[in-house]
Amino acid sequence: MSNNKNTQKNTEQKQTNTPAIGSGFKEQALQEISDTHLMKRLAHYLAPYKLLFTGSVLLLPMLSLLELVQPYLLKVIIDDHLVPGKLEGIGPLCLLILVAVLSSQALGLLQLYWMQLAGQRALHDLRTELFAHVQELSVSYFHKHPIGRLMTRLTTDVESLQEALSSGMVTMIGDIFTLISIIITLLWLDWKLALVSFLVVPPLIGLTSIFRYFLRSAFREIRVKIAKLNSHLQESITGMHIIQAFVRERLSLDEYKEINADYRTANVKSVRYDAMLYAVVEAAGSITVGAIIWYGSGLALDQVITLGVLIAFIEYMQKFFVPIRNLAQKYNLFQSAMASSERIFQLLDSQEKLDTPEHPTPMPEHEALTIEFRNVWFAYKDDEWVIKDLSFTLNPGQKIALVGHTGAGKSTVMSLLLRLHDPTKGQILVNGIDIRDIDELTWRSIFAVVLQDSFLFRASLHDNIALSSDASKEEVVQASKQVHVHDLIMRYSDGYEHQVKERGSNLSAGEKQLLCFARALVHKPQVLLLDEATANVDTETESLMQQALDALLSHQTSLVIAHRLSTIRRADTILVLHRGELIEEGSHEDLLSEGGHYARLHALQYSS
């Protein structure tokens, strides 16, 4: 029993000293941008819907007028009818008040609908532009930025703009218009009492400006914390099998609790400022009404103003603080939206893209393609060379294999060929044309790729094989038969319509890889790229696949990366890489006879 306790204690100590998953997350610092600049950029998305937006804004004066006329009609009823005891004519005035109230509600509904419609369409355009921009970013950008953070900017940050774009901005304009209208009306009724009523406004503006700074800072912190929380969730859920296999559940939970507590603290801070601002506005309203009653009662007793004017003042001031309270609430939403827009525009302003020529050179048509690596150097970081002065030529119909120890640079060569990265130095040429002068989408369309980490979408088996091609059902079946995955597919009652779960979790690693191979065949590429394509296939299946490959690749240009040297024996040329350098080149037999690096790799694999 004691041994078990000691073991458990040692395990807990080991877990405690182990760095938590996601502990290296650092949110990129945000550049503070003025609200005016951000609003101009947001207005760009409302511009296509200016008719809806303008119509919504034009309704605001009518709404303000309907709000203002109600207290004035109440003043007329009191001064002209109730005080003199003249009841005749009260009915029509009450009816006018009812009409004003109903009209205000109807126009308010129409104004809100138009504004919401314009806002939702603008958000739709923003989401589309964001996703399109993300797809254009280079692969290196995704290496440096956690997926959870990007998901936050594409979802949560855009959602926080919804209130600002769909109703917030116009509501704030309407509230400001109402305030100005009430101020003018009160000055017209009695300027002395109006000035007394406005004594709290300057201090209120000053306090609001102070709260503005703290609220923006709090909302910016919230956006950072939610990005960190989402990043941890995404990483943990994706790697759940590793967490459970290495008994890291408690560590992962502790890390989540810490991040979640930071997120809660940031939200509580914003709620505190929100509550303080709301309390200040409420107190200002109560003080103002009290001042009107105290000072206005004296004026009414001295018959400087009428009782109707005093009551109208009280009504107007209550209406005066309604838009102020609304502005305080919208102000919080506005600050949250501005913090989110900073992050959204930071993403949109990211220019980590491959250089695209303004006038791309057309791909050679009706020509066999000869691809040449000419003195290519590449480094992910300055002077940390992954590829060093690499030169070779892939001729039409040729099958070239890349071999070497892990980290030799084989997969990087394939990434450079697909133009996921550009060479740091040197050139990659196709029929003498630098591939950087060709449209990158056109260039990539000539390839089909099968990677070791096979990726499948949540779709049917047929759709996963056909993917973006317009292949017929017969072509999909034929390709599946060539790689011997057809029989596996037909085991399912719904055959090719069988639905694949997320990342192909309901399929074995070998089945996923065979499906990806069928996908490559259906694509009918000019060049086939295989990166450890048979790594997850058992020996028997690999033998069957090799037969299909021999027939298929007899006239197919291909570049193959493989640790299993048995899969590349028939390659026309084998390139041996070591630490990014080409150290040997030749056929399987020639390299074995030389007794060099390749021969040693071969001996290690077949020593048993």
Side-chain angles (χ1 to χ4, degrees):
M1 180 70 70
S2 61
N3 290 337
N4 291 339
K5 289 182 178 179
N6 290 335
T7 301
Q8 183 178 0
K9 183 178 179 180
N10 291 335
T11 302
E12 290 177 356
Q13 273 187 339
K14 183 178 179 182
Q15 289 179 334
T16 303
N17 296 330
T18 305
I21 293 174
S23 58
F25 177 94
K26 288 185 179 179
E27 177 61 73
Q28 186 176 354
L30 288 174
Q31 178 185 2
E32 292 193 21
I33 307 172
S34 69
D35 291 347
T36 304
H37 178 73
L38 293 172
M39 291 298 292
K40 285 181 180 178
R41 294 193 67 173
L42 289 174
H44 164 74
Y45 297 95
L46 283 171
Y49 313 106
K50 57 186 177 183
L51 289 179
L52 285 171
F53 183 81
T54 303
S56 179
V57 172
L58 290 177
L59 288 177
L60 294 176
M62 300 175 64
L63 286 169
S64 296
L65 179 63
L66 290 170
E67 288 291 325
L68 291 174
V69 77
Q70 297 169 35
Y72 183 78
L73 290 174
L74 182 62
K75 169 197 171 297
V76 173
I77 290 174
I78 293 172
D79 288 344
D80 296 349
H81 296 277
L82 294 182
V83 172
K86 183 181 175 182
L87 299 181
E88 185 181 354
I90 290 181
L93 291 173
C94 292
L95 182 61
L96 282 176
I97 293 177
L98 179 62
V99 170
V101 171
L102 294 177
S103 300
S104 175
Q105 296 299 318
L107 288 179
L109 177 64
L110 182 60
Q111 185 270 334
L112 182 62
Y113 174 74
W114 282 353
M115 190 62 248
Q116 288 278 356
L117 188 58
Q120 290 299 331
R121 289 177 177 177
L123 284 174
H124 169 271
D125 294 344
L126 177 60
R127 288 192 189 96
T128 303
E129 182 178 341
L130 269 172
F131 187 69
H133 178 76
V134 167
Q135 290 191 113
E136 293 176 357
L137 293 172
S138 65
V139 173
S140 60
Y141 182 88
F142 301 98
H143 293 165
K144 294 183 290 187
H145 296 80
I147 301 301
R149 182 197 300 173
L150 293 174
M151 289 295 297
T152 300
R153 298 195 180 189
L154 290 167
T155 55
T156 309
D157 284 334
V158 175
E159 282 301 313
S160 69
L161 287 178
Q162 178 170 336
E163 186 69 20
L165 280 180
S166 59
S167 62
M169 287 192 297
V170 170
T171 303
M172 291 174 72
I173 294 171
D175 289 334
I176 292 171
F177 189 88
T178 299
L179 287 174
I180 294 173
S181 301
I182 291 176
I183 290 171
I184 294 173
T185 303
L186 292 179
L187 290 171
W188 174 66
L189 287 173
D190 189 273
W191 66 273
K192 293 181 180 179
L193 186 56
L195 292 178
V196 172
S197 304
F198 300 147
L199 285 176
V200 298
V201 174
L204 187 61
I205 294 174
L207 288 171
T208 302
S209 299
I210 294 173
F211 279 116
R212 172 191 177 278
Y213 172 80
F214 290 106
L215 278 168
R216 171 65 71 86
S217 177
F219 284 122
R220 188 181 289 118
E221 186 178 355
I222 288 173
R223 301 266 66 82
V224 171
K225 299 302 182 184
I226 188 62
K228 187 173 182 179
L229 188 70
N230 287 341
S231 182
H232 180 82
L233 284 171
Q234 186 271 336
E235 187 176 47
S236 298
I237 293 172
T238 303
M240 188 58 67
H241 59 295
I242 300 298
I243 290 175
Q244 293 179 351
F246 285 87
V247 198
R248 293 182 61 96
E249 292 93 339
R250 185 178 62 80
L251 268 176
S252 182
L253 179 59
D254 289 343
E255 173 73 1
Y256 180 79
K257 286 180 178 178
E258 182 180 346
I259 299 172
N260 197 24
D262 290 341
Y263 180 52
R264 176 201 61 204
T265 302
N267 274 284
V268 169
K269 188 186 296 184
S270 72
V271 169
R272 187 185 303 124
Y273 294 138
D274 185 14
M276 292 170 65
L277 181 59
Y278 184 81
V280 166
V281 173
E282 287 294 312
S286 299
I287 291 171
T288 301
V289 171
I292 291 173
I293 295 174
W294 169 74
Y295 184 71
S297 298
L299 294 177
L301 291 174
D302 293 339
Q303 295 185 347
V304 175
I305 61 172
T306 64
L307 179 62
V309 169
L310 178 61
I311 294 176
F313 253 86
I314 295 173
E315 284 292 314
Y316 276 123
M317 288 311 298
Q318 288 179 340
K319 288 183 178 294
F320 181 81
F321 280 97
V322 168
I324 288 183
R325 282 192 292 268
N326 290 339
L327 283 171
Q329 294 173 353
K330 298 296 182 186
Y331 190 75
N332 295 340
L333 291 172
F334 179 78
Q335 291 302 314
S336 177
M338 292 302 99
S340 293
S341 62
E342 285 177 342
R343 295 162 55 81
I344 289 171
F345 292 132
Q346 183 190 59
L347 175 57
L348 282 174
D349 293 339
S350 300
Q351 294 301 320
E352 295 190 36
K353 302 179 182 180
L354 296 173
D355 292 334
T356 302
E358 186 176 351
H359 302 290
T361 302
M363 276 285 294
E365 293 185 8
H366 313 297
E367 296 181 34
L369 301 181
T370 299
I371 300 172
E372 178 188 359
F373 274 61
R374 181 180 295 176
N375 306 116
V376 171
W377 293 70
F378 178 75
Y380 292 102
K381 295 182 180 179
D382 294 339
D383 298 329
E384 295 181 11
W385 300 109
V386 181
I387 300 296
K388 304 173 186 176
D389 198 21
L390 178 62
S391 297
F392 70 89
T393 301
L394 180 60
N395 294 308
Q398 188 179 20
K399 179 179 178 182
I400 287 184
L402 294 178
V403 299
H405 291 297
T406 300
K410 304 183 298 297
S411 295
T412 302
V413 171
M414 191 168 290
S415 294
L416 291 171
L417 185 56
L418 286 168
R419 213 188 163 214
L420 301 178
H421 303 281
D422 280 335
T424 309
K425 295 191 293 185
Q427 292 178 295
I428 302 175
L429 307 171
V430 54
N431 290 12
I433 303 170
D434 194 315
I435 66 171
R436 284 172 288 200
D437 295 330
I438 300 172
D439 177 72
E440 61 189 76
L441 300 182
T442 303
W443 170 246
R444 290 174 190 154
S445 67
I446 72 170
F447 297 97
V449 186
V450 181
L451 304 175
Q452 181 178 2
D453 183 18
S454 49
F455 187 92
L456 297 178
F457 296 90
R458 288 178 60 92
S460 67
L461 291 170
H462 174 275
D463 291 341
N464 266 288
I465 295 173
L467 208 56
S468 59
S469 68
D470 54 356
S472 64
K473 179 66 176 293
E474 291 74 19
E475 289 173 317
V476 169
V477 172
Q478 181 61 30
S480 302
K481 287 180 177 178
Q482 282 186 270
V483 297
H484 306 284
V485 74
H486 174 75
D487 292 339
L488 296 174
I489 293 174
M490 296 313 295
R491 291 183 311 176
Y492 301 110
S493 58
D494 45 357
Y496 284 85
E497 296 307 313
H498 185 72
Q499 293 296 308
V500 177
K501 294 183 179 179
E502 187 174 2
R503 295 187 64 87
S505 59
N506 56 335
L507 301 171
S508 70
E511 289 171 342
K512 289 191 289 185
Q513 206 138 9
L514 288 169
L515 287 168
C516 290
F517 208 90
R519 174 195 293 169
L521 299 186
V522 164
H523 192 65
K524 297 178 182 178
Q526 291 177 263
V527 182
L528 184 62
L529 305 179
L530 308 178
D531 187 355
E532 299 293 345
T534 61
N536 294 324
V537 180
D538 59 76
T539 305
E540 181 181 356
T541 305
E542 181 187 2
S543 176
L544 294 173
M545 182 185 290
Q546 191 64 49
Q547 296 174 29
L549 281 174
D550 290 341
L552 176 70
L553 301 180
S554 57
H555 301 290
Q556 174 74 61
T557 307
S558 60
L559 183 69
V560 181
I561 297 174
H563 280 300
R564 289 185 183 180
L565 301 185
S566 59
T567 62
I568 59 171
R569 287 188 176 197
R570 297 180 180 85
D572 299 315
T573 302
I574 298 174
L575 306 179
V576 184
L577 297 181
H578 182 65
R579 296 181 180 177
E581 294 185 79
L582 178 60
I583 59 173
E584 294 178 10
E585 180 178 357
S587 66
H588 174 73
E589 292 77 12
D590 292 341
L591 292 175
L592 283 182
S593 64
E594 289 177 7
H597 193 83
Y598 180 81
R600 288 194 296 273
L601 288 175
H602 188 272
L604 284 173
Q605 283 200 14
Y606 291 95
S607 59
S608 60

